[in-house]
Amino acid sequence: MAIDSPWMTFAEACEYARVAQQSMYRALRTHELKATQGAVRPGTVRGRWRIHRDDLDTWIRGEEPQEVTPLRRVFPKRADL
């Protein structure tokens, strides 16, 4: 499996960690594993999971995840203001 980006999809993360989907969902639900959900597609309730390789390695080693800092949305300044 060749992964160029450090960000993995849910399926790639399951394959990388060699765990079943239920185990990965449980880790996400209980916040044992840090991840982010992408933009919501039309007709879906939630976006797709993206998991960083470093966070997945931390989870595989059984270490506690670092504190999650929420991202802030930044808007570009409008020229007409």
Side-chain angles (χ1 to χ4, degrees), residues 3-21:
I3 300 175
D4 297 329
S5 171
W7 291 97
M8 298 183 208
T9 64
F10 182 81
E12 290 170 341
C14 288
E15 183 179 339
Y16 180 84
R18 297 183 183 192
V19 298
Q21 289 184 356

Side-chain angles (χ1 to χ4, degrees), residues 4 20 24 37 41 47 52 57 62 73:
D4 297 329
M24 187 70 66
Q37 276 187 305
R41 294 178 300 155
H52 197 277
D57 288 336
R73 179 174 272 174

